[in-house]
Amino acid sequence: MADKSKVAESKKLIQFPRLWFFLTSLRFVFTIIGQRGYIHPDEFFQGLEIVSANIFNSSALIYEPWEFKLTDQNKPIRNILIPYFFYGLPLYLARFLADTGLIRLKSSLMILYPRLFMCVSSLLVDYSLAQIADLCDFDKSSVIVAFASSYITMVYLTHTFSNSIETILFALLVYYCIRSIKSQYILNEKFLFKSAESKASEKKRRPRSWKLLNDSNLMAYFNGANAQMRTEEDEEEEEKRMLVLASPKKNKNNDNKVKRICLFDIYKFSCHGNVIGLITAIGVFNRPTFIIFALVPLAYWLLYGLDNCNSLRQALSFLRRRLFKLAQLAVPFAALAVLADTVYYNGITDLVGIFLFKTTPTRHELIVTPFNFFAYNSNSSNVNQHGHHPFYQHALVNCFLLFGLNHLLLMFISFNFVYVLIAEQREATRSTINMKTMLISLYTNIINNTYLYFLLSFLVPLLVFSLVSHQEPRFLLPLLVPMLVLTSHCLFGSLRYSLLSKAWIVFNLACFLVYGQAHQGGVVPSINYVQKLFVHDSNAMMDQHVLYFHTYMAPRGLAVSPFVDLPWREH
């Protein structure tokens, strides 16, 4: 029976609607046939241009952005390890295939391979959203269909933006934080040591809510975000699920009482904490602003169950254990990233010789790119050089450019939800004048509310980024995750509104045509033509100059990299 229930559960998790398969197929088709749109220079110059130049030995022929320069006046702010993983792996594959004669390398293929890798990586967001919806009792079909139909998914997440990587990592972080909470089972004596008679007398309907957790009692129970009531069938289903996870043992009195100890959940909690820490570290070195998106998920994960502590000492011990779990993989990865940046930016080639004290590097400056990033952006004059925007740019302009009317819908739902929450809190505090009790009540109302978890995951980063004068829409890409979790039921779910669904479809179709095809649409296709001019025999002895007027800067490395002293030169 246990095996059958596990199989049924696994089948449930892999059920995706046909519309999602169709939209995901379109995502791959448009990535393979190519998108002409050139959204922003950073999709090339914050990683792909640098990585391709290093792999194809054309660094002297490209434009090197200031973010990747190490001089006496400038410190690099971009980590090199993560771009090498997302862009370097597909480019190394392309070079290998070209070396073996299986393909003829062109600029279009140098764009295609990294974009196809990003497209495959974007499936992690689909998986994370499906799992989040299952864990929190949201409508999984509407969530993943809304995500697959978004132009952000079709365009931004298939282009080589560091913001796209940030979105993937944020979706994984939100998922693992929720999964970690779900994997903790409360060892409740009254629940675990009950006879058949007591269980029959205690069957009641009760509201679904997150249960308080305890690090010393790692068992538990996780419920959804809505106000539905838990029925007797739900109780029996939960009982069966716990029986599958645990090995039942009869007590000494042999009176049908069952003791369930899920030691494996302690192991799962430990692993989840390590994974959460690793994702956070990767996100911070990819874009240091990731820590702003991670604030709410990490705060919920760290503070969940804190009210079970009876003293300040227990609370500090509680937080220390959780922080230690985060650091177990985060610190080693951070050390590896710092080492990689230090070696790369200092131009160190003989790393083994340096460790053995046989050679001395010409430069030996420790490079910590997140620190350099915050040091640079802490100077308002530096930020203003990239553009100055009013504080309301994100909330009133950029969010509508990214999410359409869903942003207005979420604001309406949020105001109504916060109003009800405040009213309930006032009602609860009228009966007590004890400040400690009042704070515990507020903490419980916040930490046990799934809806508020996603709402704060959207509002807190939006508020923080609005305080910065330089505001671009792509900075908010990760907010797509909580946005769709909270509003997708109004688009494709059982409570959908026809007007909103049609507006969502028209909005995303129009934005796909604009940003995916029309926006600066001549620059990327022109690279192939420029490449043929550079390498044609009739132009071999001529100085060649290409002028782009009123366009973004062309990624020149993609035009010259495949043909610098390489055997597959094309004529």
Side-chain angles (χ1 to χ4, degrees):
M1 291 297 294
D3 294 337
K4 289 183 179 180
S5 62
K6 289 181 179 179
V7 172
E9 185 71 17
S10 64
K11 287 183 178 180
K12 176 185 175 183
L13 294 179
I14 62 175
Q15 286 179 351
F16 287 81
R18 292 180 181 179
L19 183 56
W20 177 85
F21 283 103
F22 172 73
L23 292 170
T24 304
S25 300
L26 286 182
R27 191 190 318 174
F28 279 88
V29 168
F30 285 123
T31 301
I32 293 172
I33 65 176
Q35 297 180 22
R36 298 169 58 92
Y38 184 3
I39 305 174
H40 194 280
D42 284 353
E43 69 176 281
F44 292 107
F45 294 100
Q46 280 193 358
L48 182 58
E49 181 89 341
I50 300 297
V51 173
S52 64
N54 291 335
I55 292 175
F56 294 98
N57 304 317
S58 60
S59 299
L61 303 175
I62 71 163
Y63 170 77
E64 186 179 22
W66 64 271
E67 294 100 326
F68 292 88
K69 286 183 179 179
L70 175 60
T71 63
D72 293 335
Q73 293 78 27
N74 186 77
K75 307 297 181 186
I77 66 171
R78 296 295 176 192
N79 174 260
I80 198 63
L81 197 62
I82 296 169
Y84 256 90
F85 176 80
F86 282 93
Y87 316 142
L89 288 181
L91 288 178
Y92 273 121
L93 174 61
R95 176 161 185 158
F96 171 77
L97 295 176
D99 282 332
T100 57
L102 296 176
I103 63 171
R104 300 193 64 155
L105 197 59
K106 300 179 182 180
S107 297
S108 57
L109 290 181
M110 293 184 63
I111 298 174
L112 171 62
Y113 277 61
R115 284 188 177 180
L116 191 57
F117 188 85
M118 290 297 300
C119 186
V120 173
S121 300
S122 69
L123 294 177
L124 291 173
V125 185
D126 295 84
Y127 173 78
S128 299
L129 286 173
Q131 295 295 320
I132 290 169
D134 275 335
L135 292 172
C136 299
D137 289 342
F138 289 111
D139 185 354
K140 180 174 73 174
S141 297
S142 64
V143 172
I144 60 177
V145 168
F147 173 74
S149 61
S150 172
Y151 88 95
I152 295 176
T153 306
M154 294 281 192
V155 179
Y156 278 98
L157 296 191
T158 59
H159 285 224
T160 51
F161 283 107
S162 59
N163 309 89
S164 303
I165 302 173
E166 188 176 38
T167 304
I168 296 170
L169 294 173
F170 180 64
L172 290 172
L173 179 67
V174 172
Y175 161 55
Y176 271 101
C177 286
I178 294 177
R179 183 180 174 185
S180 179
I181 292 173
K182 176 179 171 58
S183 70
Q184 302 171 58
Y185 288 83
I186 299 174
L187 289 173
N188 187 320
E189 291 287 329
K190 186 177 180 181
F191 178 75
L192 297 179
F193 296 91
K194 293 189 292 186
S195 62
E197 294 78 10
S198 63
K199 285 194 289 185
S201 62
E202 290 181 8
K203 284 185 177 179
K204 297 179 181 179
R205 295 169 62 87
R206 57 184 180 183
R208 302 171 68 89
S209 62
W210 284 6
K211 296 294 182 181
L212 299 181
L213 308 177
N214 190 327
D215 267 359
S216 60
N217 294 332
L218 289 176
M219 284 188 77
Y221 179 96
F222 178 93
N223 285 317
N226 49 37
Q228 296 176 1
M229 303 298 287
R230 187 173 177 82
T231 63
E232 296 180 4
E233 289 78 14
D234 295 327
E235 294 281 355
E236 294 173 359
E237 214 174 289
E238 184 67 26
E239 290 274 327
K240 292 177 182 178
R241 190 164 61 122
M242 293 192 69
L243 282 170
V244 170
L245 292 172
S247 53
K249 297 181 180 179
K250 291 187 177 181
N251 67 345
K252 296 180 180 178
N253 298 328
N254 194 23
D255 58 353
N256 297 326
K257 295 180 181 179
V258 178
K259 182 178 182 180
R260 307 177 184 94
I261 302 177
C262 297
L263 296 179
F264 184 68
D265 290 304
I266 300 176
Y267 168 76
K268 285 198 295 184
F269 168 75
S270 177
C271 289
H272 292 161
N274 294 339
V275 172
I276 290 169
L278 179 61
I279 293 172
T280 304
I282 296 174
V284 169
F285 275 90
N286 172 60
R287 287 186 68 86
T289 54
F290 183 80
I291 195 63
I292 299 173
F293 293 104
L295 278 176
V296 172
L298 289 181
Y300 265 76
W301 187 82
L302 285 171
L303 300 178
Y304 204 84
L306 188 63
D307 58 340
N308 286 347
C309 301
N310 298 321
S311 65
L312 178 61
R313 183 176 180 180
Q314 285 186 6
L316 293 176
S317 177
F318 175 92
L319 294 175
R320 176 181 56 80
R321 290 196 301 272
R322 296 209 166 186
L323 289 172
F324 178 74
K325 293 300 179 185
L326 291 178
Q328 282 182 318
L329 288 181
V331 171
F333 176 82
L336 177 63
V338 170
L339 177 62
D341 288 335
T342 302
V343 170
Y344 176 79
Y345 287 112
N346 286 289
I348 297 174
T349 55
D350 187 12
L351 186 61
V352 177
I354 293 174
F355 278 117
L356 297 177
F357 301 101
K358 293 182 179 180
T359 59
T360 303
T362 54
R363 296 187 70 113
H364 46 80
E365 185 174 347
L366 185 67
I367 304 298
V368 185
T369 51
F371 174 79
N372 296 340
F373 178 91
F374 286 117
Y376 177 86
N377 286 282
S378 62
N379 189 335
S380 59
S381 62
N382 291 337
V383 178
N384 291 334
Q385 290 177 8
H386 302 276
H388 182 79
H389 304 93
F391 70 92
Y392 53 80
Q393 177 85 12
H394 275 323
L396 299 184
V397 179
N398 294 341
C399 280
F400 284 102
L401 287 176
L402 293 174
F403 314 121
L405 291 180
N406 274 38
H407 177 56
L408 188 64
L409 174 65
L410 181 60
M411 291 299 101
F412 175 77
I413 295 174
S414 302
F415 285 129
N416 183 60
F417 177 80
V418 172
Y419 175 80
V420 172
L421 188 68
I422 293 175
E424 290 180 353
Q425 184 62 29
R426 284 180 179 176
E427 188 67 26
T429 54
R430 282 179 184 175
S431 59
T432 178
I433 57 174
N434 189 332
M435 180 61 68
K436 180 180 178 181
T437 305
M438 199 166 69
L439 290 177
I440 291 177
S441 173
L442 178 63
Y443 162 86
T444 304
N445 287 336
I446 293 176
I447 210 73
N448 289 343
N449 195 303
T450 315
Y451 188 91
L452 192 59
Y453 169 76
F454 290 105
L455 184 59
L456 292 177
S457 295
F458 180 89
L459 293 179
V460 171
L462 178 61
L463 175 63
V464 175
F465 280 111
S466 297
L467 300 177
V468 182
S469 60
H470 180 54
Q471 302 180 17
E472 296 181 26
R474 61 191 175 92
F475 294 166
L476 304 180
L477 289 185
L479 296 186
L480 180 67
V481 174
M483 165 65 74
L484 294 184
V485 168
L486 295 174
T487 63
S488 61
H489 65 281
C490 295
L491 301 176
F492 301 102
S494 57
L495 299 177
R496 67 178 177 271
Y497 296 91
S498 178
L499 180 62
L500 286 176
S501 300
K502 293 176 181 178
W504 173 261
I505 294 171
V506 172
F507 166 76
N508 285 283
L509 180 60
C511 288
F512 172 78
L513 294 176
V514 171
Y515 292 106
Q517 301 298 330
H519 190 262
Q520 298 283 317
V523 178
V524 173
S526 70
I527 296 175
N528 276 329
Y529 177 75
V530 170
Q531 181 187 92
K532 293 178 181 179
L533 291 178
F534 284 166
V535 301
H536 199 277
D537 286 340
S538 62
N539 299 327
M541 304 303 295
M542 299 170 55
D543 289 334
Q544 302 173 57
H545 302 275
V546 179
L547 178 64
Y548 285 85
F549 184 66
H550 280 209
T551 69
Y552 288 153
M553 182 185 296
R556 66 190 73 170
L558 298 180
V560 300
S561 289
F563 308 101
V564 179
D565 300 326
L566 294 177
W568 53 79
R569 176 170 174 170
E570 184 185 51
H571 299 282

